[in-house]
Amino acid sequence: MLEHLTEQPADKILMLMQAFRDDPRDTKIDLGVGVYKNADGVTPVMKAVKAAEKKIWEEQESKSYTSLAGEPLYIEGMIKLVLDGAVDRSRIGAVTTPGGTGAIRQAMELIKKTSPQATVWVSNPTWPNHVSILNYLGMRHTAYSYFNTETRDVDFDAMMSDLAGVKAGDLVLLHGCCHNPTGANLTLGQWKEVVALINEKGAVPFIDLAYQGFGDGLEADALATRLVAENVGECLIAASCSKNFGIYRERTGILMAIARDAATAKLSQGMLQFLNRQNYSFPPDHGARVVATILGDDALRQMWIDELEETRLSMLTLRQQLADELKRLTNSDRFDFIAKHRGMFSQIGTTPEKVEVMRAESGIYMVSDSRLNIAGLNATTVPLLAKAIVDAGV
Ligand code: LMR
């Protein structure tokens, strides 16, 4: 049986992770996978997470099953964190999922079940796993223009012109904030135009929110998602706690399905739970319980918000330092976009060949599409990266 298996395409982000581990150079710099690292190169356990884990360890009396949807306090906490009352609770179906990827996967399966003919529109470029999962499930998908590799900003005219081809019932996958991989984001005014177009076409928005708190702030990063949710009849939201709570390996996410009315929300709640049952039964609990504990305790919540804000500001500082150093070396402002981008990533807009030159000659690991993880830098490595970018002729 097993000999009939075929090799699967490698994920370019995970492949890079392994290549970095295998590189013996001690000067190597990891700007690949989207994991936050502090100035010492460590991905710390956040203080509030440690405190919540201690509390859980002391107080938890059973590890029996929760419900198919997961811990209710987690679900309510996350709905509040993401939507803050933008939509009446009775219209929201929601389940805990194993990470943001689990939420994306469950969302795709939901779409496949309810609208097998729908096309899912993804930005060009997007997180590669979006496309990979769509392919794996044999779902229709197409790309809409998003990034202008000259200006390194959103090509909004091209995006709107492509989205004009959306059909009723199609899904439009949008990154709620901190676009991955580009770092370029829509303004709120542009989001309003996208919502109007989606409504005009009778399409359904599907939001991937994996970096809330990493861009302009915890509340600011949720505004686009809330705007969409408030102004459409139906919407899917896949949110992740991996980055903003730093609990990557705990696999903590949530899928919300916003329905037109309470009766339909009940139906979709049932389907979301059914999908959980078919795929893994009960969702993982530990990360969700940690998040629920933090969100439900004023002191822990404030501790978490403060550390998250520190993390966000450190990435903004690194962005500015890199842009300044590149300005100094090139005597031009062509890299100013790095300071304007938001989130962990910036796509610097160069060829895979030049990315390879930087890896071979300077030990710099960025994804072949020229996405770099800003959080992989520190004050010492910023000038090294800037020099490598210039030396490679980017
Ligand atoms: C990334 O884009 O690097 C992260 O979302 C990690 C992953 O799973 O790809």
Side-chain angles (χ1 to χ4, degrees):
M1 166 186 87
L2 298 176
E3 68 275 16
H4 301 305
L5 293 173
T6 52
E7 275 205 32
Q8 297 305 308
D11 181 293
K12 63 183 176 189
I13 298 172
L14 303 187
M15 213 165 65
L16 194 70
M17 224 169 142
Q18 190 54 45
F20 178 80
R21 284 184 186 148
D22 294 344
D23 187 334
R25 288 175 287 184
D26 55 12
T27 51
K28 62 187 177 177
I29 304 172
D30 181 11
L31 308 179
V33 68
V35 169
Y36 173 75
K37 291 188 203 129
N38 64 19
D40 302 319
V42 174
T43 305
V45 180
M46 293 177 92
K47 290 188 219 59
V49 168
K50 271 274 182 220
E53 284 182 320
K54 183 160 184 272
K55 193 165 182 246
I56 293 167
W57 184 79
E58 282 166 356
E59 294 174 9
Q60 190 169 54
E61 283 179 346
S62 172
K63 285 200 185 280
S64 174
Y65 293 123
T66 53
S67 74
L68 271 184
E71 167 56 44
L73 289 174
Y74 167 74
I75 293 191
E76 297 314 315
M78 285 300 290
I79 290 177
K80 170 99 176 66
L81 184 71
V82 172
L83 291 170
D84 195 26
V87 177
D88 193 84
R89 178 65 183 90
S90 66
R91 287 177 53 210
I92 309 172
V95 285
T96 310
T97 57
T101 309
I104 298 280
R105 169 65 190 261
Q106 298 295 69
M108 304 283 197
E109 293 210 21
L110 181 88
I111 296 163
K112 193 175 171 180
K113 199 94 191 133
T114 175
S115 307
Q117 301 306 318
T119 297
V120 180
W121 293 68
V122 297
S123 62
N124 178 22
T126 191
W127 183 51
N129 217 18
H130 286 152
V131 178
S132 182
I133 296 174
L134 285 164
N135 284 337
Y136 178 67
L137 293 175
M139 292 170 67
R140 291 188 187 177
H141 60 91
T142 190
Y144 59 86
S145 302
Y146 186 78
F147 191 57
N148 180 327
T149 48
E150 292 297 312
T151 61
R152 274 90 156 186
D153 201 352
V154 177
D155 191 343
F156 191 62
D157 290 344
M159 175 176 174
M160 291 300 274
S161 130
D162 286 352
L163 289 181
V166 166
K167 302 269 178 299
D170 283 355
L171 279 290
V172 181
L173 178 45
L174 298 150
H175 300 219
C177 67
C178 307
H179 185 267
N180 179 6
T182 67
N185 297 290
L186 299 176
T187 63
L188 274 183
Q190 290 171 331
W191 274 99
K192 282 187 188 147
E193 290 186 49
V194 171
V195 171
L197 184 66
I198 286 177
N199 280 337
E200 185 196 312
K201 299 286 171 191
V204 181
F206 171 10
I207 298 180
D208 183 354
L209 187 66
Y211 297 91
Q212 186 183 353
F214 271 37
D216 291 312
L218 197 56
E219 291 305 306
D221 289 347
L223 291 182
T225 303
R226 291 174 192 166
L227 175 94
V228 173
E230 244 170 8
N231 289 289
V232 297
E234 290 183 316
C235 170
L236 297 177
I237 302 168
S240 170
C241 300
S242 297
K243 328 279 160 146
N244 52 8
F245 286 86
I247 50 173
Y248 305 83
R249 64 176 67 164
E250 301 299 351
R251 312 311 299 140
T252 310
I254 185 166
L255 174 59
M256 302 177 209
I258 297 175
R260 287 182 202 284
D261 53 47
T264 322
K266 213 164 159 227
L267 202 61
S268 46
Q269 180 69 39
M271 177 52 86
L272 293 177
Q273 291 180 191
F274 175 77
L275 286 174
N276 266 8
R277 181 66 171 159
Q278 302 319 300
N279 285 321
Y280 37 76
S281 204
F282 298 87
D285 180 72
H286 182 71
R289 198 158 293 274
V290 165
V291 170
T293 303
I294 294 172
L295 294 180
D297 178 307
D298 287 346
L300 288 184
R301 186 188 170 90
Q302 195 54 50
M303 189 191 280
W304 168 65
I305 289 176
D306 292 346
E307 193 171 351
L308 177 61
E309 187 61 4
E310 224 176 83
T311 303
R312 184 181 81 82
L313 294 176
S314 77
M315 287 188 287
L316 282 184
T317 304
L318 287 165
R319 286 188 174 282
Q320 194 60 55
Q321 286 172 350
L322 182 59
D324 289 348
E325 183 64 7
L326 282 161
K327 182 175 259 162
R328 196 181 68 75
L329 292 179
T330 61
N331 221 357
S332 81
D333 56 11
R334 73 199 165 84
F335 290 100
D336 282 6
F337 66 88
I338 291 173
K340 293 190 196 119
H341 283 171
R342 283 296 178 271
M344 286 190 119
F345 309 117
S346 268
Q347 193 167 68
I348 59 170
T350 192
T351 60
E353 290 74 25
K354 288 186 180 171
V355 169
E356 177 50 24
V357 168
M358 288 187 264
R359 191 197 62 77
E361 288 176 9
S362 314
I364 285 163
Y365 283 75
M366 65 176 82
V367 185
S368 53
D369 61 9
S370 77
R371 182 193 88 169
L372 59 87
N373 173 12
I374 293 291
L377 291 166
N378 60 37
T380 316
T381 53
V382 161
L384 302 176
L385 171 64
K387 183 170 181 309
I389 289 176
V390 173
D391 288 350
V394 175

